[in-house]
Amino acid sequence: MRPCWELHVEPEPRAPLDGVARDLRLVSDVSAGRREAVMRLWQPDRTVVLVTEEASRTAPREDVPVVARPTPGGQWLAAGPAVILWSTIATRETLGISGTEDALEAASEWVLASLRQLGMQVSLQAGGTIWTPMGVVGACAVLKQDGVILAQGIVDYAMDAGDCVGTDPVSAENVRSQSGLPLPLVIDRFARMARTLFRAKVISPASGSALPRS
């Protein structure tokens, strides 16, 4: 039987600390069998730097707070609703990968496919950099916790290049400049790709119930 994937699309930006904590609650749900697998799209309601739990808690700028994330990697500047944050939460079996395959590549495929559908020549580079010939547009990382794969990533929709100094990604390019599409259409492309590749059911994060397809 095909795994039952859920797609959680947050309707409004939310506090970054709460957003990261929700990923961990979903990992617990998948580990306990309350859910099979989850893909998630959300945006922070303020600018923060997302760092690893082991990393220094010193932000690149004094005016930017730091929020710890469980996945490894560099510092990610999340400039409020100018970025899209995404997660994939599933077991290796649900992702359909063996012990020798790259979990991050499998968990990020729906995001990369979405960006390609927008006309972007995107690829996943070493260290989790999401790269295009015109510049870096994102980053991602993966962690195995409680038998579950947690992939977290950031996509630069419309950040100013000056905001990125000292953080990953660092680029003068972003999804808006390369695609020319407004944010709602970009998120819609992500959601449609999740449904196409995984037949994901769109779930209301607030109620946990399925939403009708658009």
Side-chain angles (χ1 to χ4, degrees):
M1 182 179 295
R2 191 182 183 96
C4 180
W5 284 84
E6 297 179 359
L7 173 63
H8 295 211
V9 182
E10 304 282 349
E12 300 291 339
R14 67 189 303 158
L17 188 62
D18 181 51
V20 173
R22 180 164 177 79
D23 273 349
L24 295 177
R25 291 195 296 271
L26 290 170
V27 167
S28 178
D29 284 351
V30 173
S31 178
R34 291 187 291 271
R35 304 177 191 270
E36 284 194 60
V38 178
M39 289 174 284
R40 181 173 175 235
L41 296 168
W42 65 286
Q43 293 180 283
D45 64 359
R46 69 203 71 174
T47 297
V48 296
V49 176
L50 298 170
V51 301
T52 65
E53 294 178 346
E54 297 80 15
S56 167
R57 297 304 179 90
T58 303
R61 300 177 311 194
E62 293 182 357
D63 61 327
V64 181
V66 170
V67 171
R69 68 177 198 272
T71 48
Q75 296 180 336
W76 302 346
L77 177 68
V83 303
I84 301 169
L85 297 173
W86 61 269
S87 310
T88 305
I89 303 164
T91 64
R92 295 187 72 93
E93 294 74 19
T94 302
L95 282 171
I97 55 177
S98 67
T100 59
E101 292 180 280
D102 187 347
L104 184 57
E105 184 174 343
S108 63
E109 177 55 30
W110 67 287
V111 174
L112 301 179
S114 300
L115 295 173
R116 291 176 187 132
Q117 191 181 56
L118 296 174
M120 300 171 63
Q121 299 178 40
V122 67
S123 62
L124 183 64
Q125 302 290 301
T129 299
I130 301 176
W131 180 89
T132 76
M134 298 178 69
V136 175
V137 296
C140 56
V142 69
L143 171 76
K144 185 173 182 180
Q145 179 171 311
D146 300 329
V148 174
I149 297 296
L150 167 62
Q152 293 178 310
I154 182 170
V155 172
D156 177 359
Y157 172 69
M159 285 200 299
D160 292 332
D163 290 336
C164 301
V165 176
T167 60
D168 301 324
V170 178
S171 176
E173 286 295 322
N174 53 51
V175 173
R176 185 174 65 182
S177 66
Q178 294 196 38
S179 71
L181 292 178
L183 179 63
L185 284 182
V186 171
I187 291 178
D188 178 71
R189 295 295 191 279
F190 277 66
R192 288 176 183 271
M193 187 58 66
R195 296 200 298 262
T196 298
L197 292 181
F198 295 95
R199 298 180 185 176
K201 180 183 297 184
V202 181
I203 299 294
S204 166
S207 65
S209 59
L211 297 177
R213 290 193 178 189
S214 58

